[in-house]
Short mmCIF file of all heavy atoms in Angstrom, two decimals:
data_model
loop_
_atom_site.label_atom_id
_atom_site.label_comp_id
_atom_site.label_asym_id
_atom_site.label_seq_id
_atom_site.Cartn_x
_atom_site.Cartn_y
_atom_site.Cartn_z
N MET Y 144 114.31 98.11 114.89
CA MET Y 144 114.07 99.50 114.47
C MET Y 144 112.57 99.80 114.51
O MET Y 144 111.73 98.88 114.44
CB MET Y 144 114.56 99.67 112.99
CG MET Y 144 113.72 98.90 112.00
SD MET Y 144 114.10 99.33 110.32
CE MET Y 144 112.72 98.59 109.49
N PHE Y 145 112.27 101.05 114.61
CA PHE Y 145 110.84 101.47 114.62
C PHE Y 145 110.32 101.53 113.18
O PHE Y 145 110.95 102.09 112.30
CB PHE Y 145 110.69 102.85 115.25
CG PHE Y 145 110.87 102.83 116.76
CD1 PHE Y 145 111.84 103.61 117.34
CD2 PHE Y 145 110.11 102.00 117.57
CE1 PHE Y 145 112.01 103.63 118.73
CE2 PHE Y 145 110.28 101.97 118.94
CZ PHE Y 145 111.27 102.80 119.51
N VAL Y 146 109.18 100.91 113.01
CA VAL Y 146 108.45 101.06 111.72
C VAL Y 146 107.54 102.24 111.83
O VAL Y 146 107.46 103.07 110.94
CB VAL Y 146 107.67 99.76 111.44
CG1 VAL Y 146 106.78 99.96 110.17
CG2 VAL Y 146 108.65 98.61 111.15
N CYS Y 147 106.82 102.31 112.97
CA CYS Y 147 105.87 103.42 113.17
C CYS Y 147 106.46 104.37 114.19
O CYS Y 147 106.51 104.08 115.39
CB CYS Y 147 104.53 102.89 113.67
SG CYS Y 147 103.33 104.19 113.94
N LEU Y 148 106.90 105.51 113.72
CA LEU Y 148 107.52 106.49 114.61
C LEU Y 148 106.46 107.21 115.51
O LEU Y 148 106.70 107.52 116.64
CB LEU Y 148 108.27 107.52 113.80
CG LEU Y 148 109.47 107.01 113.04
CD1 LEU Y 148 110.12 108.10 112.19
CD2 LEU Y 148 110.51 106.36 113.93
N CYS Y 149 105.29 107.42 114.94
CA CYS Y 149 104.24 108.12 115.69
C CYS Y 149 103.90 107.39 116.96
O CYS Y 149 103.68 107.99 118.02
CB CYS Y 149 102.97 108.24 114.86
SG CYS Y 149 103.16 109.36 113.47
N LYS Y 150 103.85 106.05 116.88
CA LYS Y 150 103.39 105.23 118.02
C LYS Y 150 104.55 104.44 118.59
O LYS Y 150 104.34 103.60 119.49
CB LYS Y 150 102.28 104.27 117.59
CG LYS Y 150 101.07 104.98 116.96
CD LYS Y 150 100.37 105.89 117.98
CE LYS Y 150 99.22 106.62 117.31
NZ LYS Y 150 98.54 107.53 118.27
N ALA Y 151 105.76 104.65 118.11
CA ALA Y 151 106.96 103.93 118.60
C ALA Y 151 106.76 102.45 118.63
O ALA Y 151 106.95 101.78 119.64
CB ALA Y 151 107.34 104.49 119.97
N VAL Y 152 106.38 101.90 117.47
CA VAL Y 152 106.19 100.45 117.38
C VAL Y 152 107.29 99.91 116.44
O VAL Y 152 107.49 100.37 115.37
CB VAL Y 152 104.80 100.10 116.76
CG1 VAL Y 152 104.62 98.61 116.65
CG2 VAL Y 152 103.70 100.73 117.65
N SER Y 153 107.98 98.86 116.98
CA SER Y 153 109.11 98.34 116.22
C SER Y 153 108.68 97.21 115.29
O SER Y 153 107.59 96.65 115.40
CB SER Y 153 110.13 97.76 117.22
OG SER Y 153 109.61 96.60 117.83
N ASP Y 154 109.61 96.85 114.39
CA ASP Y 154 109.35 95.74 113.48
C ASP Y 154 109.12 94.43 114.21
O ASP Y 154 108.25 93.63 113.88
CB ASP Y 154 110.46 95.59 112.45
CG ASP Y 154 111.85 95.51 113.06
OD1 ASP Y 154 111.98 95.76 114.28
OD2 ASP Y 154 112.79 95.23 112.34
N VAL Y 155 109.84 94.24 115.34
CA VAL Y 155 109.68 93.04 116.08
C VAL Y 155 108.29 92.94 116.71
O VAL Y 155 107.61 91.90 116.66
CB VAL Y 155 110.76 92.97 117.21
CG1 VAL Y 155 110.49 91.76 118.14
CG2 VAL Y 155 112.12 92.86 116.60
N GLN Y 156 107.83 94.07 117.23
CA GLN Y 156 106.48 94.09 117.79
C GLN Y 156 105.43 93.85 116.72
O GLN Y 156 104.45 93.12 116.96
CB GLN Y 156 106.18 95.46 118.41
CG GLN Y 156 106.89 95.68 119.73
CD GLN Y 156 106.69 97.16 120.18
OE1 GLN Y 156 107.38 98.02 119.72
NE2 GLN Y 156 105.75 97.36 121.06
N LEU Y 157 105.65 94.41 115.54
CA LEU Y 157 104.68 94.25 114.46
C LEU Y 157 104.60 92.78 113.99
O LEU Y 157 103.50 92.27 113.76
CB LEU Y 157 105.04 95.16 113.29
CG LEU Y 157 104.71 96.64 113.50
CD1 LEU Y 157 105.32 97.51 112.40
CD2 LEU Y 157 103.19 96.83 113.56
N VAL Y 158 105.74 92.11 113.92
CA VAL Y 158 105.74 90.72 113.51
C VAL Y 158 104.94 89.93 114.49
O VAL Y 158 104.15 89.04 114.17
CB VAL Y 158 107.19 90.18 113.32
CG1 VAL Y 158 107.16 88.68 113.26
CG2 VAL Y 158 107.82 90.77 112.10
N GLU Y 159 105.14 90.18 115.82
CA GLU Y 159 104.41 89.45 116.85
C GLU Y 159 102.92 89.68 116.71
O GLU Y 159 102.15 88.74 116.85
CB GLU Y 159 104.89 89.90 118.23
CG GLU Y 159 106.27 89.34 118.60
CD GLU Y 159 106.72 89.90 119.98
OE1 GLU Y 159 106.00 90.66 120.61
OE2 GLU Y 159 107.85 89.53 120.35
N ILE Y 160 102.53 90.91 116.46
CA ILE Y 160 101.11 91.24 116.35
C ILE Y 160 100.52 90.55 115.12
O ILE Y 160 99.42 89.99 115.16
CB ILE Y 160 100.93 92.77 116.30
CG1 ILE Y 160 101.22 93.33 117.69
CG2 ILE Y 160 99.54 93.15 115.81
CD1 ILE Y 160 101.51 94.80 117.67
N ILE Y 161 101.26 90.59 114.01
CA ILE Y 161 100.77 89.96 112.77
C ILE Y 161 100.64 88.46 112.98
O ILE Y 161 99.68 87.83 112.59
CB ILE Y 161 101.69 90.32 111.62
CG1 ILE Y 161 101.58 91.84 111.27
CG2 ILE Y 161 101.34 89.50 110.36
CD1 ILE Y 161 102.72 92.32 110.40
N ARG Y 162 101.68 87.87 113.62
CA ARG Y 162 101.65 86.40 113.85
C ARG Y 162 100.53 86.01 114.83
O ARG Y 162 100.06 84.89 114.79
CB ARG Y 162 102.98 85.93 114.35
CG ARG Y 162 104.01 85.90 113.24
CD ARG Y 162 105.31 85.39 113.69
NE ARG Y 162 106.33 85.46 112.59
CZ ARG Y 162 107.59 85.21 112.72
NH1 ARG Y 162 108.12 84.90 113.89
NH2 ARG Y 162 108.39 85.33 111.71
N SER Y 163 100.14 86.93 115.66
CA SER Y 163 99.07 86.61 116.63
C SER Y 163 97.69 86.84 116.03
O SER Y 163 96.69 86.72 116.72
CB SER Y 163 99.24 87.38 117.93
OG SER Y 163 99.02 88.77 117.71
N GLY Y 164 97.64 87.22 114.73
CA GLY Y 164 96.35 87.19 114.08
C GLY Y 164 95.95 88.42 113.30
O GLY Y 164 94.97 88.41 112.55
N ALA Y 165 96.62 89.54 113.47
CA ALA Y 165 96.29 90.75 112.75
C ALA Y 165 96.62 90.53 111.26
O ALA Y 165 97.77 90.31 110.89
CB ALA Y 165 96.99 91.95 113.31
N SER Y 166 95.66 90.65 110.38
CA SER Y 166 95.88 90.37 108.96
C SER Y 166 95.62 91.59 108.05
O SER Y 166 95.68 91.46 106.87
CB SER Y 166 95.04 89.18 108.51
OG SER Y 166 93.65 89.45 108.74
N THR Y 167 95.27 92.67 108.69
CA THR Y 167 95.07 93.93 107.91
C THR Y 167 95.75 95.08 108.64
O THR Y 167 96.04 94.98 109.87
CB THR Y 167 93.59 94.29 107.73
OG1 THR Y 167 93.05 94.61 109.02
CG2 THR Y 167 92.80 93.17 107.11
N VAL Y 168 96.03 96.18 107.91
CA VAL Y 168 96.64 97.31 108.54
C VAL Y 168 95.72 97.86 109.64
O VAL Y 168 96.21 98.29 110.71
CB VAL Y 168 96.89 98.44 107.50
CG1 VAL Y 168 97.36 99.72 108.13
CG2 VAL Y 168 97.93 97.95 106.47
N LYS Y 169 94.45 97.78 109.45
CA LYS Y 169 93.49 98.29 110.46
C LYS Y 169 93.56 97.43 111.72
O LYS Y 169 93.54 97.99 112.83
CB LYS Y 169 92.07 98.27 109.91
CG LYS Y 169 91.11 98.85 110.92
CD LYS Y 169 89.65 98.86 110.42
CE LYS Y 169 88.76 99.61 111.44
NZ LYS Y 169 88.88 99.11 112.83
N GLN Y 170 93.66 96.12 111.58
CA GLN Y 170 93.75 95.27 112.74
C GLN Y 170 95.03 95.52 113.55
O GLN Y 170 95.06 95.49 114.76
CB GLN Y 170 93.65 93.79 112.34
CG GLN Y 170 92.23 93.42 111.96
CD GLN Y 170 92.11 92.02 111.44
OE1 GLN Y 170 93.12 91.27 111.28
NE2 GLN Y 170 90.94 91.59 111.11
N VAL Y 171 96.13 95.79 112.78
CA VAL Y 171 97.38 96.14 113.45
C VAL Y 171 97.23 97.45 114.20
O VAL Y 171 97.64 97.55 115.39
CB VAL Y 171 98.52 96.24 112.42
CG1 VAL Y 171 99.78 96.83 113.05
CG2 VAL Y 171 98.85 94.88 111.85
N ALA Y 172 96.55 98.41 113.57
CA ALA Y 172 96.36 99.70 114.24
C ALA Y 172 95.48 99.56 115.47
O ALA Y 172 95.76 100.17 116.48
CB ALA Y 172 95.72 100.67 113.25
N ASP Y 173 94.46 98.72 115.36
CA ASP Y 173 93.57 98.51 116.56
C ASP Y 173 94.33 97.83 117.66
O ASP Y 173 94.11 98.07 118.86
CB ASP Y 173 92.41 97.58 116.14
CG ASP Y 173 91.40 98.31 115.27
OD1 ASP Y 173 91.47 99.57 115.18
OD2 ASP Y 173 90.54 97.67 114.69
N SER Y 174 95.33 97.01 117.30
CA SER Y 174 96.06 96.24 118.31
C SER Y 174 97.12 97.12 119.04
O SER Y 174 97.29 97.01 120.23
CB SER Y 174 96.73 95.05 117.64
OG SER Y 174 97.50 94.34 118.60
N CYS Y 175 97.89 97.91 118.26
CA CYS Y 175 99.04 98.58 118.88
C CYS Y 175 99.08 100.05 118.54
O CYS Y 175 99.97 100.77 119.08
CB CYS Y 175 100.31 97.91 118.48
SG CYS Y 175 100.66 98.11 116.69
N GLY Y 176 98.24 100.50 117.64
CA GLY Y 176 98.24 101.93 117.29
C GLY Y 176 99.09 102.25 116.07
O GLY Y 176 98.93 103.32 115.51
N ALA Y 177 99.96 101.32 115.67
CA ALA Y 177 100.80 101.58 114.50
C ALA Y 177 99.98 101.84 113.26
O ALA Y 177 99.07 101.04 112.95
CB ALA Y 177 101.77 100.41 114.28
N GLY Y 178 100.23 102.90 112.57
CA GLY Y 178 99.47 103.22 111.37
C GLY Y 178 98.30 104.18 111.62
O GLY Y 178 97.66 104.64 110.67
N SER Y 179 98.02 104.43 112.87
CA SER Y 179 96.88 105.26 113.20
C SER Y 179 97.22 106.74 113.38
O SER Y 179 96.35 107.53 113.71
CB SER Y 179 96.17 104.73 114.46
OG SER Y 179 97.03 104.87 115.58
N GLY Y 180 98.53 107.07 113.20
CA GLY Y 180 98.93 108.46 113.30
C GLY Y 180 98.95 109.11 111.95
O GLY Y 180 97.96 109.29 111.33
N CYS Y 181 100.20 109.42 111.50
CA CYS Y 181 100.31 110.16 110.23
C CYS Y 181 100.03 109.30 108.98
O CYS Y 181 99.76 109.78 107.95
CB CYS Y 181 101.72 110.74 110.12
SG CYS Y 181 103.00 109.50 109.85
N GLY Y 182 100.15 107.97 109.18
CA GLY Y 182 99.89 107.06 108.08
C GLY Y 182 101.09 106.73 107.19
O GLY Y 182 100.98 105.93 106.27
N ALA Y 183 102.22 107.33 107.49
CA ALA Y 183 103.40 107.13 106.66
C ALA Y 183 103.89 105.67 106.68
O ALA Y 183 104.55 105.26 105.75
CB ALA Y 183 104.53 108.05 107.09
N CYS Y 184 103.60 104.95 107.70
CA CYS Y 184 104.11 103.59 107.85
C CYS Y 184 103.17 102.51 107.36
O CYS Y 184 103.52 101.37 107.38
CB CYS Y 184 104.44 103.34 109.33
SG CYS Y 184 102.91 103.47 110.35
N THR Y 185 101.99 102.91 106.92
CA THR Y 185 101.01 101.91 106.56
C THR Y 185 101.43 100.99 105.44
O THR Y 185 101.12 99.79 105.42
CB THR Y 185 99.64 102.53 106.24
OG1 THR Y 185 99.81 103.48 105.21
CG2 THR Y 185 99.05 103.20 107.46
N ARG Y 186 102.16 101.54 104.44
CA ARG Y 186 102.63 100.69 103.37
C ARG Y 186 103.64 99.66 103.83
O ARG Y 186 103.63 98.51 103.39
CB ARG Y 186 103.22 101.57 102.25
CG ARG Y 186 103.41 100.77 100.94
CD ARG Y 186 103.59 101.71 99.77
NE ARG Y 186 104.66 102.65 100.03
CZ ARG Y 186 104.83 103.76 99.29
NH1 ARG Y 186 104.08 104.02 98.25
NH2 ARG Y 186 105.82 104.56 99.60
N GLU Y 187 104.49 100.06 104.76
CA GLU Y 187 105.48 99.11 105.29
C GLU Y 187 104.78 98.02 106.14
O GLU Y 187 105.12 96.87 106.08
CB GLU Y 187 106.52 99.84 106.12
CG GLU Y 187 107.59 98.90 106.60
CD GLU Y 187 108.91 99.60 106.83
OE1 GLU Y 187 109.02 100.82 106.64
OE2 GLU Y 187 109.89 98.92 107.19
N ILE Y 188 103.75 98.44 106.89
CA ILE Y 188 102.98 97.45 107.65
C ILE Y 188 102.32 96.48 106.71
O ILE Y 188 102.34 95.28 106.92
CB ILE Y 188 101.93 98.18 108.56
CG1 ILE Y 188 102.64 98.99 109.62
CG2 ILE Y 188 100.99 97.17 109.18
CD1 ILE Y 188 101.71 99.91 110.41
N GLN Y 189 101.75 97.00 105.61
CA GLN Y 189 101.11 96.11 104.64
C GLN Y 189 102.13 95.14 104.05
O GLN Y 189 101.83 93.94 103.93
CB GLN Y 189 100.48 96.96 103.50
CG GLN Y 189 99.79 96.14 102.47
CD GLN Y 189 98.58 95.43 102.95
OE1 GLN Y 189 97.76 96.00 103.68
NE2 GLN Y 189 98.42 94.17 102.63
N ASP Y 190 103.29 95.62 103.76
CA ASP Y 190 104.36 94.72 103.24
C ASP Y 190 104.69 93.64 104.24
O ASP Y 190 104.88 92.47 103.89
CB ASP Y 190 105.65 95.54 102.95
CG ASP Y 190 105.53 96.31 101.66
OD1 ASP Y 190 104.57 96.08 100.88
OD2 ASP Y 190 106.42 97.14 101.40
N MET Y 191 104.76 93.99 105.53
CA MET Y 191 105.08 93.03 106.57
C MET Y 191 103.98 92.00 106.69
O MET Y 191 104.25 90.78 106.86
CB MET Y 191 105.32 93.70 107.90
CG MET Y 191 106.55 94.58 107.92
SD MET Y 191 106.83 95.39 109.48
CE MET Y 191 107.32 93.94 110.49
N ILE Y 192 102.72 92.43 106.59
CA ILE Y 192 101.62 91.49 106.64
C ILE Y 192 101.72 90.48 105.49
O ILE Y 192 101.58 89.27 105.68
CB ILE Y 192 100.27 92.24 106.57
CG1 ILE Y 192 100.04 93.01 107.86
CG2 ILE Y 192 99.12 91.29 106.29
CD1 ILE Y 192 98.91 94.03 107.80
N GLU Y 193 102.06 90.99 104.30
CA GLU Y 193 102.16 90.12 103.13
C GLU Y 193 103.36 89.16 103.28
O GLU Y 193 103.27 87.97 102.94
CB GLU Y 193 102.30 90.97 101.87
CG GLU Y 193 100.96 91.65 101.54
CD GLU Y 193 101.09 92.62 100.39
OE1 GLU Y 193 102.18 92.69 99.76
OE2 GLU Y 193 100.08 93.30 100.10
N ASP Y 194 104.45 89.65 103.84
CA ASP Y 194 105.59 88.79 104.07
C ASP Y 194 105.25 87.64 105.02
O ASP Y 194 105.52 86.48 104.77
CB ASP Y 194 106.78 89.57 104.67
CG ASP Y 194 107.44 90.41 103.64
OD1 ASP Y 194 107.17 90.28 102.43
OD2 ASP Y 194 108.34 91.22 104.05
N GLU Y 195 104.53 88.01 106.08
CA GLU Y 195 104.17 86.99 107.08
C GLU Y 195 103.16 86.03 106.56
O GLU Y 195 103.08 84.89 106.99
CB GLU Y 195 103.65 87.70 108.39
CG GLU Y 195 104.73 88.36 109.21
CD GLU Y 195 105.79 87.36 109.61
OE1 GLU Y 195 105.45 86.26 110.06
OE2 GLU Y 195 106.99 87.69 109.51
N ALA Y 196 102.37 86.47 105.58
CA ALA Y 196 101.37 85.57 104.95
C ALA Y 196 102.01 84.62 103.99
O ALA Y 196 101.34 83.74 103.42
CB ALA Y 196 100.32 86.42 104.25
N GLY Y 197 103.32 84.78 103.77
CA GLY Y 197 104.04 83.83 102.92
C GLY Y 197 104.12 84.23 101.49
O GLY Y 197 104.61 83.49 100.65
N LEU Y 198 103.64 85.44 101.18
CA LEU Y 198 103.64 85.85 99.76
C LEU Y 198 105.08 86.13 99.26
O LEU Y 198 105.33 86.14 98.08
CB LEU Y 198 102.77 87.08 99.61
CG LEU Y 198 101.33 86.89 99.94
CD1 LEU Y 198 100.53 88.15 99.77
CD2 LEU Y 198 100.71 85.77 99.10
N SER Y 199 105.99 86.35 100.21
CA SER Y 199 107.37 86.65 99.87
C SER Y 199 108.27 85.75 100.67
O SER Y 199 109.34 86.15 101.19
CB SER Y 199 107.69 88.10 100.16
OG SER Y 199 106.82 88.97 99.49
N SER Y 200 107.92 84.47 100.77
CA SER Y 200 108.59 83.56 101.67
C SER Y 200 110.01 83.26 101.18
O SER Y 200 110.79 82.71 101.91
CB SER Y 200 107.80 82.25 101.79
OG SER Y 200 107.61 81.68 100.50
N ASP Y 201 110.34 83.67 99.98
CA ASP Y 201 111.68 83.43 99.48
C ASP Y 201 112.64 84.58 99.87
O ASP Y 201 113.83 84.54 99.55
CB ASP Y 201 111.68 83.22 97.97
CG ASP Y 201 111.04 84.37 97.23
OD1 ASP Y 201 110.27 85.11 97.82
OD2 ASP Y 201 111.35 84.57 96.05
N VAL Y 202 112.10 85.60 100.52
CA VAL Y 202 112.93 86.71 100.88
C VAL Y 202 113.34 86.56 102.38
O VAL Y 202 112.50 86.44 103.22
CB VAL Y 202 112.14 88.08 100.75
CG1 VAL Y 202 113.00 89.23 101.23
CG2 VAL Y 202 111.76 88.23 99.28
N ASP Y 203 114.62 86.51 102.58
CA ASP Y 203 115.12 86.38 103.94
C ASP Y 203 115.04 87.71 104.68
O ASP Y 203 115.33 88.77 104.13
CB ASP Y 203 116.58 85.92 103.94
CG ASP Y 203 116.65 84.42 103.71
OD1 ASP Y 203 115.71 83.71 104.04
OD2 ASP Y 203 117.70 84.00 103.15
N ALA Y 204 114.71 87.65 105.98
CA ALA Y 204 114.70 88.86 106.80
C ALA Y 204 116.10 89.34 106.98
O ALA Y 204 117.05 88.56 107.05
CB ALA Y 204 114.06 88.55 108.14
N GLY Y 205 116.26 90.61 107.09
CA GLY Y 205 117.50 91.17 107.38
C GLY Y 205 118.20 91.64 106.14
O GLY Y 205 119.25 92.25 106.24
S1 FES I 755 104.71 106.58 111.46
FE1 FES I 755 103.11 105.20 111.84
S2 FES I 755 101.37 106.48 111.92
FE2 FES I 755 102.97 107.87 111.60
#
């Protein structure tokens, strides 16, 4: 599914970008544009960054 509608960036793409080193919403935006439009998705991107960082490692995807 798309997380960022403005830039048509999916959750799968975001996970790949985060895993490849983007650790802030700004770095994600610099990498793929997600979050650089209306900004409505930035909180979800932040949540995904925190999940990937292991802060919510007890939560299963899906
Ligand atoms: S939905 Fe991502 S910037 Fe608008």
